Amino acid sequence: EVQLVESGGGLVQPGRSLKLSCAASGFTFSNYGMAWVRQTPTKGLEWVASISTGGGNTYYRDSVKGRFTISRDNAKNTQYLQMDSLRSEDTATYYCLRVGFDYWGQGVMVTVSS
Amino acid sequence: DVVMTQTPVSLPVSLGGQASISCRSSQSLVHSNGNTYLHWYLQKPGQSPQLLIYRVSNRFSGVPDRFSGSGSGTDFTLKISRVEPEDLGDYYCLQSTHFPNTFGAGTKLELK
């Protein structure tokens, strides 16, 4: 059974950093690209970033470029989202996904507020 | 960015009835490899979205045949026949042909 389990969310002040993790199981992690998607009541679902199987290619939405970094550790079956210079508009539930967008994690809440 | 226009916003249905949701993209979703990466999801309250249909018309594992997807180019439709209580929730389309990948704004399927 494919499982994606996010962790690392929480309340953080504007301008600070947070790192999300996503532990994958039930499939050969190194064979799949991975992604992060976020959701808010006002903006809906937004794709945030994707990473290729080996990690050599990464893609970001414009609003997070230069602030967020997606990475992965295939030995640990884990992907990450390093979020720096956080803004209030980054407040959202963040989901970890397998590319193919077939399996989603349960989501982790990130709140950026002073 | 590719804009995904999803309609209607709200769709009241009767149990046992039929529902149809439209998703139109601002540009063609045909990838250079010939595939069309348009997918449909259902999100129930308190849950993450679950994949129903991938690449326009392919039902995901375990999805009942009451769900069907169709369309091409820029115009796509999700049909649900014989609506059951577990079908109620928010439906979204997603295009992953172009970066940034973009979602429709959602359709709430609710009881009439």
Side-chain angles (χ1 to χ4, degrees):
Chain A
E1 181 196 2
V2 172
Q3 285 201 314
L4 299 168
V5 180
E6 303 97 336
S7 60
L11 172 64
V12 62
Q13 292 180 326
R16 303 298 290 264
S17 299
L18 206 60
K19 186 172 186 176
L20 305 182
S21 299
C22 171
S25 61
F27 65 102
T28 304
F29 182 71
S30 58
N31 286 352
Y32 287 85
M34 297 295 294
W36 291 92
V37 165
R38 65 187 181 187
Q39 185 174 29
T40 66
T42 50
K43 292 185 180 178
L45 289 160
E46 289 185 329
W47 166 82
V48 175
S50 292
I51 188 167
S52 59
T53 53
N57 294 304
T58 56
Y59 311 87
Y60 299 92
R61 67 180 302 105
D62 283 349
S63 60
V64 308
K65 264 182 206 170
R67 300 189 300 121
F68 289 13
T69 304
I70 188 171
S71 62
R72 64 190 295 160
D73 184 337
N74 285 346
K76 294 184 177 178
N77 291 343
T78 302
Q79 75 153 339
Y80 305 96
L81 186 68
Q82 175 68 44
M83 303 185 293
D84 298 325
S85 303
L86 280 161
R87 305 168 180 167
S88 58
E89 55 263 36
D90 297 318
T91 295
T93 297
Y94 285 74
Y95 294 101
C96 165
L97 285 80
R98 187 172 83 166
V99 168
F101 296 92
D102 47 3
Y103 290 97
W104 297 50
Q106 84 285 356
V108 63
M109 186 68 205
V110 172
T111 303
V112 184
S113 174
S114 53
Chain B
D1 297 2
V2 176
V3 176
M4 303 299 290
T5 303
Q6 191 176 334
T7 56
V9 172
S10 173
L11 183 52
V13 293
S14 301
L15 295 178
Q18 181 166 304
S20 180
I21 301 170
S22 168
C23 200
R24 288 186 173 156
S25 57
S26 59
Q27 58 184 272
S28 173
L29 299 185
V30 180
H31 193 275
S32 56
N33 65 13
N35 290 324
T36 300
Y37 295 96
L38 185 284
H39 323 290
W40 292 97
Y41 297 85
L42 164 61
Q43 186 175 31
K44 300 179 185 180
Q47 296 184 17
S48 48
Q50 57 191 80
L51 180 64
L52 298 172
I53 302 287
Y54 64 96
R55 282 191 275 121
V56 181
S57 59
N58 299 279
R59 268 188 304 276
F60 189 54
S61 174
V63 174
D65 60 8
R66 300 182 289 100
F67 293 87
S68 63
S70 62
S72 62
T74 62
D75 202 348
F76 304 92
T77 302
L78 175 71
K79 285 195 165 86
I80 312 160
S81 60
R82 307 182 304 278
V83 170
E84 297 192 5
E86 59 263 33
D87 301 338
L88 302 179
D90 296 324
Y91 287 79
Y92 297 94
C93 58
L94 161 68
Q95 70 80 18
S96 59
T97 296
H98 304 285
F99 279 114
N101 302 154
T102 46
F103 291 84
T107 295
K108 181 177 286 296
L109 189 69
E110 52 194 4
L111 281 181
K112 196 177 282 186

